[in-house]
Amino acid sequence: MLSMNAIQDPVYRDEPAVEADQRDVQPVISANNVTVSYGDKVALSNVSLHAPANQVTSLIGPSGCGKTTFLRCLNRMNDLIDICRVEGEILVAGQDIYDPAVDVVSLRAHVGMVFQKANPFPKSIFDNVAYGLRIHEMTTSKTELQDRVEFSLKRAGLWDEVSDRLNDSGTSLSGGQQQRLCIARTIAVEPQVILMDEPCSALDPVATARIEELIDELRKKFTIIIVTHSMHQAARISQRTAFFHMGELVEHGETEQIFTTPKDTRTESYITGRIG
Amino acid sequence: MDDAHTGPIDFTRRLRSRVPEYLIILALVACSLVAVMVTVGIVFSLVFESIRFFTIVPVTDFLFGLEWSPQTAIRDDQVGAAGSFGAVPLITGTLLISAIAMAVATPLGLASAVYLAEYADKRTRDTIKPILEILAGIPTVVYGFFAALMIAPYIRLTGTSLGLEVASESALAAGLAMGVMIVPLVSSLSDDAINAVPQSLRDASLGLGATRAETVRRVVLPAATPGISGSLLLAASAAIGETMIVVMAAGLAANLTGNPLDAVTTITAQIVALLTGDQEFDSAKTLSAFALGLLLFFVTLLLNVAALKIVKHYREQYD
Amino acid sequence: MTKSFTEITPALKRRHAAEARFQWIGRVAIVIAIGFLITMVVSIAVIGAGALRQSHIALDVFLDPAEINAEEIKNADFGGVIKAALRTKFSDVTKRRDKRKLYGLVSSEAAYTLRDMVLRNPSLIGTTPKIWFIASDDIDIFFKSHNASGGGEETHRISSKEVAWINEFKKAGDIETRFNSRFFLSGDSREPELAGILSALAGSAFSLAVCFALSFPVGIMAAIYLEEFAPKNRWSDLIEVNINNLAAVPSIVFGLLGLAVLLNTFGLPRSSPLVGGIVLALMTLPTIIIASRAALRAVPPSIREAALGLGASQIQATFHHVAPLALPGMLTGAIVGMARALGETAPLLMIGMVAFIVDVPKSIVAPATALPVQIFLWADSPERAFLEKTCAAIIVLLTFLVVMNLAAVLLRRKFERRF
């Protein structure tokens, strides 16, 4: 366990990203027997899933299958819903995040989230990216803040498009740019895990392709869990895939295996387009 | 009815009704024009009487004069026989009391709106909101009474014990009561504005690890600013136009002062003073009330139009 | 890279403290606002409760046949008879000033009470019956405030002599408080112990009746036009903006309109509920229109389509199907508007409804005042005894408002449908 220094230390400066096989093989996220219910309604039952570091794990399945619910459990965004109850155990970097001693604020700083619809704050592009850095007081000087904003925008592949108009409102960007801005905002605080909830569902194919490239690039540095409604997208970008159906995790494993030799007939039906 | 099925159907034939439909439409149009006629009536009567007033007292004297003493003397050779009609002390008095009221209502209204919209659970919200609304439903004459008979003596007592000189009818007493009165106006409109901020923005902020307070202060409130400022403008307009509280608690002394412990008077209080009791309709004193009324109408109208425009624009932005 | 999610760094501690502070600010604001409300209502209610009881004093009155001529009872000097009774009871009082104080124990109304009693029963003449009279205001206040505590000191309003007299009545059981029905059954008076709210209530009732009769039909018709028939164009927008602005015009401006147009141009009777009602109607109109439009909007389009599909004209669809469904909502809006009109004071001052009205107005053109104006007038009166009358009148006004608003809530609940 390292302290805040690890975060404040500008790891991002020049070291090359660590490759997956060099890191410990222990999964960054492991969920064990997770059951989620809204009031009387069970939304997710008995899900166990492990997501290894520096890989993209896709969560697929027909709408209403519980994949977004699961995703929102991973940084406890479900806490915002009063009637939502989570049972079971979710470990992030080996820590049980539903332990009462866990501070959701520091959890969410380490497990960032990108949402279905791009939601830039009605602030300038710069302030959008600087937001997390400011609230977590991660920079000590103005130049450092500027550097980090620039670095994050570059990493999100947006810098070239916005470098001359950082003071424009974030909402003035196009849909794809807005979503990349949201990604830049998320990676600025250097989380370990990025959760993405159908980040491309509102975008055109060109913008989608750019985000997909970006996700592949980001995987070198972050662990990514992505909910997607598109099987093709899952096949294109992820190393691992989990198939959810009616609140159950039907099957999960290497993406290639899921798409070529699914073990469960329901997975096969979904992939071949018979359900969903 | 039976014969309707015999011959060929004529689709151009109109079914008979007892009252011709165009008459009904005409009546409906007339009714909706009543509201317009009221506005026209207000504008015309105020402008007409004001013009008569301005033939006696020049507009510039009225708008920029520093002294207000509308008593016309009985004998012509008396000092100040014509009375002076400088509205500046009334305007400053109105602004002073409204400022005190806003200083009370803005923090109270905003803080309770934020709490109710962002923190309170549904049950608390459903209980507290109607109770706050009661504050707006209590007649202003009750606030005036409470301000004059209970708040003012208390302020005076406190002030005197601190060695301050407090007038028995202080701007502070009237302003405090008025401030509480407009709390629900600020809180319910701000509440609407806060609720109109999309949940996705809160999610984005919370998802980055911001606390709720940080989310409210840095994302929700800035995003709701147009709606909130609209609510504050409406509240200010209500404070400026409020009559009974100032008539009962602020008094009639036209002092040009910024001291909240002094007695001041307001535009509305003077209108009441000028027009209650016996009056000759053509005297400058009586007509000046209409000039004050015109000023009041104009200022509140500006505030209302601006507020409604901001609120409407803002609502469209997030819809 | 890994960080414990349970570690509380100083920075995090500070942020959580700020969070807690922020929540407390909200709670405190709500407590202050509601605390003010409770303080105001309770303190007024506590004072106002005193006005529900009125002190009465019993005197043995010798109805001297020499003073009261059985043939001409009306012209007899009953005031003198009562004074004589007081002199008899306290025969040691000789000084003129003290005598005047002594006569002031009972209200000036006492003479009329006695006269009416003798008129009803002339056979009393020559006897010495014990009769209860209304005590005067200062005695009333003194007795009510010291009744519980016993004794009682002299104040700047009550001299030591008066205190002694009261104590003497008390010993004999000849002074007591009774329910003050007079407060609810009579009009205004210069004497606080005689003043009541009936004339003001009647004035308010007449004004509200006029207000409702004008604003409700006009308001719902306007709402129906704007919601169901008006084309979407600049004119409709103008009317809409105009209505929204009218709702925020200071009430006193409506009073000025009433004074300039209704009184001075049309020559309608000053101080009358007719004019008051018209002014209130103009003020209430925007509220009713806005509420009625919301009620119409809540009726689902399927109802309209069903009616139109059966061959109803747009007018028939509106008046036979849509408007009846929206009526409870419209009525709710109207009641809320009426409640606001009931509490309105400023515009009524402009049109002269501030008169001193003793008699209950009999029609909408008779001079009248209204309950909130009565409160304003009493609040201005120097007599200490009017304080509790003012508070009591406020409580009556608030009770009416609560009842009206409750009615609106119940109506809404009863007819609320989920389409």
Side-chain angles (χ1 to χ4, degrees):
Chain A
M1 183 196 87
L2 295 165
S3 70
M4 281 295 279
N5 295 337
I7 289 176
Q8 278 168 352
D9 195 310
V11 209
Y12 56 89
R13 286 273 154 94
D14 29 36
E15 328 166 16
V18 193
E19 280 303 321
D21 47 356
Q22 288 172 271
R23 303 188 75 168
D24 48 5
V25 285
Q26 194 196 355
V28 170
I29 288 183
S30 55
N32 300 312
N33 305 320
V34 172
T35 297
V36 182
S37 43
Y38 297 107
D40 299 331
K41 210 180 133 256
V42 177
L44 209 58
S45 63
N46 218 19
V47 171
S48 296
L49 178 72
H50 308 285
N54 297 71
Q55 291 201 0
V56 178
T57 303
S58 294
L59 312 181
I60 61 168
S63 51
C65 66
K67 53 193 194 296
T68 298
T69 299
F70 181 70
L71 190 78
R72 290 173 72 95
C73 284
L74 299 180
N75 70 344
R76 292 183 53 179
M77 285 299 275
N78 279 337
D79 287 15
L80 299 174
I81 302 159
D82 288 336
I83 54 166
C84 179
R85 219 172 65 248
V86 179
E87 286 158 289
E89 179 192 55
I90 298 175
L91 303 177
V92 173
Q95 301 175 57
D96 179 3
I97 61 167
Y98 279 89
D99 186 300
V102 162
D103 192 320
V104 287
V105 166
S106 55
L107 169 68
R108 288 179 190 152
H110 286 79
V111 184
M113 190 156 189
V114 175
F115 297 84
Q116 190 166 0
K117 197 171 162 288
N119 50 3
F121 299 128
K123 298 167 179 279
S124 72
I125 293 168
F126 183 89
D127 286 341
N128 261 285
V129 182
Y131 181 80
L133 298 170
R134 284 188 176 133
I135 55 169
H136 295 301
E137 298 165 36
M138 291 169 79
T139 54
T140 46
S141 69
K142 214 176 160 192
T143 41
E144 196 190 349
L145 181 71
Q146 283 165 346
D147 285 354
R148 269 183 99 140
V149 168
E150 181 180 337
F151 183 78
S152 304
L153 282 169
K154 276 183 177 154
R155 202 142 74 172
L158 194 59
W159 177 253
D160 296 337
E161 291 154 66
V162 299
S163 60
D164 55 342
R165 49 177 181 138
L166 289 175
N167 290 324
D168 286 11
S169 170
T171 50
S172 66
L173 298 172
S174 73
Q177 288 173 323
Q178 286 192 12
Q179 197 57 289
R180 276 181 282 144
L181 177 64
C182 293
I183 293 173
R185 182 174 67 187
T186 306
I187 59 181
V189 295
E190 299 282 323
Q192 277 177 282
V193 181
I194 303 176
L195 310 175
M196 294 188 173
D197 185 5
E198 302 195 25
C200 304
S201 65
L203 303 180
D204 60 65
V206 178
T208 301
R210 289 218 56 174
I211 303 255
E212 286 181 4
E213 275 168 43
L214 175 60
I215 289 172
D216 199 48
E217 185 65 28
L218 290 173
R219 147 176 106 81
K220 291 177 188 152
K221 187 76 194 350
F222 308 97
T223 303
I224 295 171
I225 318 278
I226 181 168
V227 166
T228 174
H229 63 279
S230 149
M231 283 175 293
H232 301 291
Q233 186 171 57
R236 277 195 302 269
I237 59 171
S238 64
Q239 285 72 52
R240 297 182 69 80
T241 297
F243 171 65
F244 285 74
H245 188 242
M246 298 179 74
E248 258 181 80
L249 174 58
V250 175
E251 182 169 0
H252 79 290
E254 300 283 333
T255 299
E256 211 178 307
Q257 176 254 311
I258 295 279
F259 280 93
T260 51
T261 53
K263 292 186 191 117
D264 196 290
T265 51
R266 286 171 292 176
T267 317
E268 197 185 335
S269 310
Y270 182 70
I271 287 166
T272 51
R274 260 175 283 156
I275 56 169
Chain B
M1 280 304 276
D2 281 337
D3 58 346
H5 296 288
T6 50
I9 304 168
D10 176 10
F11 289 115
T12 62
R13 183 177 65 107
R14 291 207 165 239
L15 296 168
R16 267 178 301 155
S17 92
R18 265 165 291 163
V19 189
E21 298 212 335
Y22 71 90
L23 273 185
I24 298 178
I25 297 278
L26 212 63
L28 293 179
V29 174
C31 285
S32 56
L33 285 179
V34 169
V36 179
M37 273 149 48
V38 173
T39 310
V40 172
I42 288 173
V43 172
F44 266 83
S45 56
L46 290 181
V47 167
F48 182 67
E49 305 295 346
S50 298
I51 288 173
R52 288 173 63 193
F53 172 69
F54 291 132
T55 57
I56 308 171
V57 177
V59 187
T60 45
D61 286 10
F62 175 71
L63 284 179
F64 304 111
L66 298 183
E67 202 194 330
W68 178 266
S69 57
Q71 298 76 11
T72 24
I74 301 158
R75 284 177 295 127
D76 282 346
D77 54 339
Q78 228 169 318
V79 182
S84 29
F85 293 95
V88 171
L90 311 190
I91 295 169
T92 56
T94 304
L95 292 180
L96 178 63
I97 291 183
S98 303
I100 296 170
M102 292 305 288
V104 172
T106 307
L108 285 184
L110 256 184
S112 43
V114 166
Y115 185 82
L116 290 177
E118 299 286 330
Y119 289 106
D121 56 44
K122 193 178 171 319
R123 246 187 62 212
T124 317
R125 200 163 42 235
D126 289 351
T127 330
I128 303 283
K129 267 182 117 170
I131 297 180
L132 283 181
E133 294 297 326
I134 295 177
L135 283 171
I138 288 183
T140 55
V141 69
V142 178
Y143 283 98
F145 171 77
F146 189 68
L149 276 101
M150 303 192 186
I151 302 180
Y154 182 76
I155 289 176
R156 198 160 184 210
L157 208 71
T158 320
T160 318
S161 69
L162 295 171
L164 295 168
E165 208 170 296
V166 186
S168 63
E169 291 177 320
S170 62
L172 191 56
L176 280 179
M178 197 191 280
V180 176
M181 186 190 79
I182 54 179
V183 162
L185 198 59
V186 175
S187 75
S188 73
L189 289 170
S190 300
D191 194 45
D192 291 347
I194 290 168
N195 282 324
V197 174
Q199 183 59 32
S200 67
L201 291 185
R202 289 184 188 85
D203 285 350
S205 171
L206 294 169
L208 281 166
T211 64
R212 281 181 173 230
E214 286 160 353
T215 303
V216 170
R217 268 203 300 252
R218 290 167 178 253
V219 176
V220 177
L221 288 183
T225 300
I228 291 171
S229 46
S231 81
L232 294 182
L233 284 182
L234 278 182
S237 154
I240 290 172
E242 170 46 39
T243 307
M244 292 319 292
I245 295 178
V246 289
V247 167
M248 297 172 81
L252 295 169
N255 294 326
L256 188 55
T257 173
N259 179 357
L261 301 177
D262 268 352
V264 295
T265 190
T266 68
I267 296 174
T268 51
Q270 284 302 320
I271 296 176
V272 170
L274 291 166
L275 291 182
T276 43
D278 296 324
Q279 38 175 291
E280 11 163 2
F281 198 65
D282 286 332
S283 75
K285 187 181 158 194
T286 312
L287 290 174
S288 68
F290 286 90
L292 289 175
L294 184 63
L295 182 64
L296 179 69
F297 178 74
F298 188 68
V299 171
T300 52
L301 186 72
L302 272 185
L303 286 172
N304 295 338
V305 170
L308 291 173
K309 215 166 216 157
I310 291 174
V311 170
K312 194 174 171 215
H313 180 79
Y314 170 75
R315 220 173 265 153
E316 281 163 359
Q317 189 190 330
Y318 283 123
D319 266 354
Chain C
M1 258 316 274
T2 312
K3 187 190 156 219
S4 164
F5 304 135
T6 52
E7 188 198 2
I8 306 288
T9 62
L12 209 50
K13 210 168 170 179
R14 207 176 59 238
R15 289 170 62 193
H16 283 306
E19 166 77 37
R21 263 201 314 280
F22 194 71
Q23 287 196 33
W24 272 107
I25 292 173
R27 289 199 191 97
V28 168
I30 291 174
V31 168
I32 291 177
I34 294 180
F36 185 98
L37 174 69
I38 293 174
T39 313
M40 181 163 84
V41 173
V42 168
S43 58
I44 290 176
V46 166
I47 300 176
L52 292 180
R53 317 255 343 145
Q54 169 68 47
S55 307
H56 286 69
I57 292 176
L59 279 179
D60 298 316
V61 185
F62 174 49
L63 297 167
D64 190 352
E67 288 284 335
I68 308 163
N69 183 344
E71 307 295 305
E72 290 186 318
I73 294 173
K74 272 192 174 157
N75 298 334
D77 177 15
F78 285 100
V81 171
I82 291 169
K83 282 176 188 168
L86 282 164
R87 272 199 308 272
T88 319
K89 188 167 173 74
F90 300 102
S91 47
D92 55 329
V93 179
T94 47
K95 273 191 254 161
R96 260 183 85 107
R97 262 187 51 205
D98 291 344
K99 273 187 185 165
R100 205 178 313 138
K101 276 229 166 74
L102 181 64
Y103 299 154
L105 286 178
V106 293
S107 166
S108 57
E109 177 76 3
Y112 302 104
T113 315
L114 187 59
R115 185 192 69 188
D116 293 345
M117 191 175 276
V118 175
L119 273 175
R120 248 179 290 135
N121 188 2
S123 64
L124 285 174
I125 296 171
T127 64
T128 311
K130 182 179 239 186
I131 298 171
W132 287 90
F133 296 107
I134 293 173
S136 70
D137 53 340
D138 285 340
I139 303 299
D140 177 48
I141 295 283
F142 178 83
F143 181 63
K144 276 192 294 202
S145 59
H146 292 290
N147 197 16
S149 54
E153 299 284 306
E154 58 184 299
T155 63
H156 64 285
R157 289 191 169 273
I158 299 281
S159 69
S160 56
K161 286 215 177 69
E162 284 167 303
V163 174
W165 295 333
I166 292 172
N167 284 336
E168 200 151 318
F169 276 118
K170 215 158 147 185
K171 245 179 271 159
D174 283 348
I175 181 164
E176 65 179 38
T177 65
R178 297 176 176 180
F179 178 71
N180 187 6
S181 55
R182 218 192 150 86
F183 179 73
F184 298 97
L185 297 177
S186 68
D188 198 6
S189 167
R190 302 267 181 230
E191 305 298 332
E193 72 273 17
L194 305 176
I197 54 170
L198 189 62
S199 56
L201 269 181
S204 275
F206 278 127
S207 302
L208 280 194
V210 172
C211 172
F212 184 80
L214 290 176
S215 62
F216 189 59
V218 173
I220 63 172
M221 299 266 274
I224 287 174
Y225 176 74
L226 293 172
E227 204 54 43
E228 305 285 329
F229 296 98
K232 278 260 160 266
N233 61 20
R234 291 235 314 276
W235 293 106
S236 306
D237 280 355
L238 186 80
I239 295 178
E240 171 137 25
V241 168
N242 174 66
I243 289 170
N244 286 335
N245 278 313
L246 208 56
V249 167
S251 60
I252 194 167
V253 171
F254 287 93
L256 289 173
L257 174 74
L259 172 60
V261 174
L262 299 177
L263 297 187
N264 292 327
T265 307
F266 293 154
L268 294 177
R270 204 176 138 79
S271 311
S272 65
L274 174 65
V275 177
I278 296 174
V279 169
L280 293 177
L282 301 182
M283 275 184 55
T284 318
L285 198 55
T287 313
I288 294 182
I289 295 178
I290 291 168
S292 301
R293 290 187 68 176
L296 286 167
R297 225 172 292 140
V299 178
S302 60
I303 305 269
R304 281 176 200 93
E305 283 155 12
L308 293 173
L310 285 171
S313 70
Q314 206 185 351
I315 289 203
Q316 287 166 331
T318 303
F319 282 91
H320 295 171
H321 301 281
V322 180
L325 286 176
L327 196 62
M330 296 171 164
L331 213 53
T332 306
I335 294 174
V336 172
M338 289 300 120
R340 264 185 52 194
L342 174 60
E344 206 45 77
T345 320
L348 302 183
L349 301 183
M350 299 290 94
I351 53 147
M353 283 183 84
V354 274
F356 173 69
I357 306 290
V358 179
D359 297 321
V360 177
K362 296 274 183 312
S363 77
I364 56 170
V365 288
T369 185
L371 192 51
V373 182
Q374 186 72 72
I375 291 167
F376 168 64
L377 288 172
W378 282 349
D380 242 13
S381 303
E383 284 92 347
R384 167 103 175 69
F386 269 123
L387 181 67
E388 63 174 30
K389 303 279 167 186
T390 315
C391 289
I394 287 175
I395 294 304
V396 171
L397 177 62
L398 292 183
T399 309
F400 273 103
L401 293 181
V402 168
V403 168
M404 288 170 87
N405 282 302
L406 270 184
V409 170
L410 291 180
L411 191 70
R412 187 179 304 150
R413 217 167 269 171
K414 180 148 191 244
F415 288 95
E416 195 171 58
R417 316 165 188 242
R418 306 231 171 267
F419 290 105

